[in-house]
Amino acid sequence: MTTVLPAPIDDVWDRVQRSDTLMGVSRGVVTVRPVDPPQLPERWKPGRYKVSLRALGLFSLGEQTIGIEMPEAAAPARALRDNGKGALFPVWDHWILLEPAGSGGTRYTDRLKFDSVVPEVIAMPFVKAFFWYRQRRWHSMLRRAGG
């Protein structure tokens, strides 16, 4: 799923690397709470982070391990990978890919491969809606920040 964000790639990349951005773009649909370590780093570093997830603040989605990797990308592109796993999603391979777009914007792509313990016919619509929502939240966050 791809969108063009109204901000330069360096600004978007700075936000992608912040754990509070994950909380902000997920807020309202999925609540992320750190478990181990008990606090997420201000800026992501390669490593494994165990979190608990709740849907709509009501339903437990169990624990998930966020597996942060910072793969090399051909400049000026950038990439962050969450090669995680958890109770609901034993495979969660999420790539955030950034490329410059015209007029100073950034082409932002969420690429995801996952396996779920629930049937795909149930998981897929939720996952698609979640990533659509996240990308809308990115646009809102950047508008509030002035780009």
Side-chain angles (χ1 to χ4, degrees):
M1 186 175 292
T2 299
T3 190
V4 175
L5 298 174
I9 192 169
D10 289 338
D11 293 353
V12 176
W13 178 239
D14 179 62
R15 289 175 185 269
V16 164
Q17 295 178 82
R18 294 173 21 196
S19 64
D20 64 342
T21 299
L22 169 64
M23 309 300 191
V25 298
S26 301
R27 186 175 295 123
V29 174
V30 174
T31 304
V32 179
R33 294 223 154 90
V35 173
D36 185 22
Q39 241 184 329
L40 295 176
E42 182 177 324
R43 298 183 69 77
W44 292 116
K45 297 175 181 90
R48 317 267 316 145
Y49 305 89
K50 187 181 284 188
V51 298
S52 68
L53 303 175
R54 294 188 76 71
L56 306 173
L58 302 171
F59 309 101
S60 174
L61 300 176
E63 290 188 345
Q64 183 81 11
T65 298
I66 299 172
I68 297 294
E69 300 174 12
M70 303 276 191
E72 290 293 322
R78 310 278 197 304
L80 182 137
R81 181 182 189 193
D82 169 9
N83 191 12
K85 63 181 180 174
L88 186 58
F89 296 100
V91 173
W92 185 266
D93 190 5
H94 174 214
W95 289 71
I96 296 174
L97 306 168
L98 306 179
E99 302 170 288
S103 303
T106 301
R107 180 175 291 96
Y108 175 105
T109 300
D110 286 305
R111 190 175 78 198
L112 177 67
K113 177 185 173 202
F114 72 91
D115 286 329
S116 176
V117 297
V118 299
E120 187 174 335
V121 69
I122 296 169
M124 185 61 80
F126 172 78
V127 169
K128 282 185 176 182
F130 177 60
F131 278 92
W132 177 87
Y133 177 81
R134 281 173 45 104
Q135 289 190 1
R136 300 292 63 80
R137 295 279 298 179
W138 266 100
H139 281 275
S140 296
M141 177 180 58
L142 291 168
R143 273 195 305 275
R144 284 191 311 272

